[in-house]
Amino acid sequence: MDATAKPLRIPPQMAVYAEEHRIFDILQKMVQNLLIDRPEDPIQYLIDHLRKDNDGVPRIAILGPPASGKHTMAKLLCKRLNATHLTPENLLSNDVSELVEEALSYKGKDQEIPDALWAGLIRERLSKVDCVKRGWVIEGFPRTREQGLLLQMNGTCPDHIVVLDAPDIVLIERNMGKRIDPTTGEVYHTAFDWPEDPEVQKNLVEPEGISEEETGKKLLEYHGNIHGILLVFPTIYKKINADQPCMDVLSQVLTFVLSKPRSLAPYTPRILLYGPPGSGRSLQAAFLAEKYDIVNVSCGQVLKEAVADQTKTGLLIEPYIENEQQVPDNLVLRVLGDRLSRMDCATRGWVLHGFPRDADQATMLNDAGYMPNRIFFLDIPDDVAIERLSLRMTDPVSGERYHSLYRPAPRVDVHRRLQQNPTDAEQKVQMRLDMYHVSAEELEEFYQDVIHVNADQDPYTVFEFIESCIVKPLPKRVPGEAPSP
């Protein structure tokens, strides 16, 4: 098709499919791996890559000074994410590998294992089935800037680097309380993690190198290297305070590692605002449309425009609106579908409010190919909704809207002529709230990635929260857990 003669209209279903199946990100990852590995048969390589289907598995490195909790955090993460736990020590446990034998020969001579050999060991281990299918969490590596650069060069760079941090005095006190079970290799602590089993307690021994002087030397070495390591990975690391309860640290670590890197894929916002009457959907939609130049699609306004334009569907809708009856869903969807399929919505995106109101309408909207990629529920208590609506009135002369509490009329004569919309009467507002509560739960079950917003606060604060959830990717879900509300 000649785009200069007629605009090329791309069906909205194509964009939805591409986003749902991450087509752009898959292609980007394939090309990236292709350039790193440079296989002799690129086509077969790409086919094998697609068969692995492992672009979303965790690839995490946990760094930190001695006694910062790297081992504990790595174990907890692996348990939560069903990933493989790797340490520099267990990389040397495979006696079959030639690289492991070479590394052990260095170790047997009390020599440092070369960085290039470490990088080869890691690449070899990450090629195993468990790491490919489930992902991995590597603890305490890289230790130097050179090791980090080698990871990048051989294509084994992690997606997230967690850097645990705490004051040196705290770390020294922690390290002196470490105890190890020589049978299992498990690490315990005299103050924070003492085993309940008396038999295990008897077996615990004090590990080497935990004295104050030796810990101080290790801290100096760590501080000398960590800055150079982070310069290698400037965009994928996050420092987390390790001087707090373990579960608090884990919560922050999980929040970070489940966050997705910002995609370079073309993004068209398709936003749905849902909430009870008085929650501020129209205002937030106006804010979003103004700032991001997306189309503000109000269901009620679209229906009124169809009636005013005397379209075929508008003529069918007109009797329902004149008699204050609910417009049938199929007619509403016909009008909305026409609006959402226009070029401005397809290219700039849209923010929809007023539809759907229940799961049946949401199903119809999705079946028509108009699936939102951000769903916000604006939550307010019923008494706040009633207060916001039942106390607002309109000046029939100027058209200005006032509120008895938040924006009273400026003069007595204006106050006297104010009129209330019949739908804002307290009894009718309560009826609308009851209808909302009946449908809200089933609609939340229909949409999997609902984001709840506390709308009982300053509208600009509400907007800032909504905006932050639009510009950032949605976090990944922990395997086996339901989506968080």
Side-chain angles (χ1 to χ4, degrees):
M1 180 183 292
D2 184 2
T4 60
K6 184 178 181 180
L8 179 60
R9 294 180 67 89
I10 300 175
Q13 291 83 354
M14 291 182 64
V16 172
Y17 179 87
E19 286 184 20
E20 181 182 355
H21 296 279
R22 304 178 295 109
I23 300 299
F24 186 95
D25 295 327
I26 290 173
L27 291 173
Q28 183 184 30
K29 190 70 174 179
M30 288 168 62
V31 173
Q32 176 183 319
N33 290 346
L34 196 65
L35 293 175
I36 291 173
D37 294 338
R38 288 179 278 187
E40 293 183 2
D41 187 352
I43 300 300
Q44 187 59 47
Y45 175 87
L46 295 177
I47 293 172
D48 293 339
H49 176 86
L50 290 172
R51 283 175 177 165
K52 290 177 183 176
D53 189 26
N54 69 337
D55 287 342
V57 299
R59 299 178 181 90
I60 304 165
I62 298 188
L63 306 179
S68 59
K70 299 187 294 293
H71 185 73
T72 301
M73 205 51 52
K75 284 175 57 181
L76 290 172
L77 270 183
C78 288
K79 185 176 180 180
R80 283 292 188 97
L81 304 177
N82 192 30
T84 302
H85 183 190
L86 302 177
T87 68
E89 290 73 26
N90 67 28
L91 287 172
L92 304 178
S93 61
N94 182 6
D95 298 332
V96 180
S97 168
E98 293 181 2
L99 291 177
V100 171
E101 290 180 1
E102 184 180 353
L104 290 175
S105 68
Y106 279 98
K107 196 172 182 181
K109 299 173 186 176
D110 290 331
Q111 296 177 352
E112 286 287 332
I113 299 175
D115 291 340
L117 183 53
W118 272 121
L121 285 166
I122 291 174
R123 183 178 177 85
E124 180 183 66
R125 182 66 183 87
L126 297 185
S127 66
K128 303 297 182 183
V129 175
D130 57 344
C131 291
V132 171
K133 291 294 184 182
R134 293 164 29 206
W136 44 270
V137 178
I138 188 167
E139 168 196 335
F141 197 92
R143 294 169 175 168
T144 64
R145 172 180 168 82
E146 290 71 22
Q147 291 176 350
L149 290 171
L150 286 169
L151 287 184
Q152 284 189 338
M153 291 172 63
N154 67 13
T156 53
C157 181
D159 294 330
H160 297 87
I161 295 182
V162 176
V163 183
L164 302 177
D165 196 23
D168 286 356
I169 188 170
V170 172
L171 297 171
I172 291 172
E173 291 177 0
R174 278 191 186 181
N175 208 36
M176 293 175 69
K178 273 187 181 178
R179 297 295 183 269
I180 291 181
D181 186 340
T183 306
T184 63
E186 289 293 318
V187 180
Y188 297 93
H189 196 278
T190 55
F192 307 117
D193 186 22
W194 193 244
E196 297 179 0
D197 190 343
E199 294 298 323
V200 176
Q201 295 177 13
K202 292 178 183 178
N203 293 333
L204 297 184
V205 296
E206 186 176 299
E208 297 179 0
I210 64 169
S211 67
E212 185 173 348
E213 183 179 354
E214 290 172 305
T215 303
K217 289 180 180 178
K218 292 178 181 177
L219 286 170
L220 285 174
E221 181 182 359
Y222 169 81
H223 291 311
N225 287 317
I226 189 61
H227 181 66
I229 295 172
L230 299 184
L231 288 177
V232 178
F233 308 103
T235 61
I236 61 171
Y237 79 88
K238 181 178 179 63
K239 287 188 176 182
I240 293 177
N241 177 22
D243 186 19
Q244 53 183 326
C246 181
M247 288 300 106
D248 291 347
V249 178
L250 176 63
S251 175
Q252 295 175 42
V253 170
L254 271 174
T255 300
F256 171 59
V257 301
L258 293 178
S259 64
K260 299 177 184 177
R262 182 165 298 187
S263 173
L264 298 177
Y267 176 72
T268 304
R270 301 187 303 275
I271 303 164
L272 173 63
L273 299 181
Y274 180 74
S279 57
R281 291 168 299 171
S282 300
L283 180 60
Q284 296 303 324
F287 286 164
L288 288 168
E290 181 180 1
K291 181 163 185 178
Y292 292 102
D293 193 30
I294 59 180
V295 182
N296 184 355
V297 182
S298 165
C299 180
Q301 187 63 33
V302 169
L303 294 177
K304 291 175 183 177
E305 289 174 359
V307 172
D309 294 340
Q310 293 291 289
T311 63
K312 290 183 180 180
T313 310
L315 293 174
L316 296 174
I317 292 172
E318 189 172 9
Y320 293 98
I321 293 181
E322 288 179 350
N323 296 321
E324 297 184 356
Q325 296 177 343
Q326 185 172 339
V327 180
D329 291 346
N330 62 325
L331 295 180
V332 175
L333 189 63
R334 193 184 303 176
V335 175
L336 272 181
D338 176 68
R339 184 66 190 90
L340 296 175
S341 64
R342 293 181 194 172
M343 187 62 71
D344 56 351
C345 287
T347 55
R348 290 158 43 198
W350 43 263
V351 51
L352 173 64
H353 52 106
F355 189 94
R357 296 182 178 178
D358 54 45
D360 291 337
Q361 292 180 348
T363 302
M364 294 174 63
L365 189 67
N366 273 21
D367 290 344
Y370 305 106
M371 288 178 275
N373 48 25
R374 290 292 188 278
I375 302 100
F376 295 96
F377 276 36
L378 307 184
D379 300 328
I380 56 171
D382 284 4
D383 57 342
V384 174
I386 292 172
E387 180 184 272
R388 287 184 178 183
L389 296 181
S390 63
L391 298 181
R392 71 180 183 183
M393 294 189 179
T394 304
D395 182 358
V397 176
S398 65
E400 286 289 322
R401 181 177 288 176
Y402 298 97
H403 194 278
S404 300
L405 295 179
Y406 308 129
R407 193 191 176 200
R411 301 191 309 274
V412 175
D413 59 321
V414 174
H415 177 74
R416 286 175 180 170
R417 66 176 184 244
L418 293 182
Q419 296 179 2
Q420 185 184 51
N421 189 322
T423 60
D424 287 344
E426 183 172 341
Q427 186 176 3
K428 290 194 174 182
V429 172
Q430 186 61 61
M431 290 174 59
R432 291 159 62 193
L433 287 169
D434 294 339
M435 293 175 60
Y436 164 80
H437 291 304
V438 169
S439 303
E441 187 173 345
E442 63 179 19
L443 194 60
E444 183 172 1
E445 290 179 2
F446 180 86
Y447 288 117
Q448 297 181 349
D449 293 313
V450 167
I451 302 171
H452 283 270
V453 185
N454 175 18
D456 186 17
Q457 51 186 333
D458 179 78
Y460 293 100
T461 304
V462 176
F463 175 68
E464 287 176 4
F465 179 80
I466 293 175
E467 183 182 28
S468 70
C469 297
I470 292 173
V471 298
K472 295 179 183 177
L474 292 176
K476 294 179 286 188
R477 296 181 197 153
V478 178
E481 289 191 6
S484 57

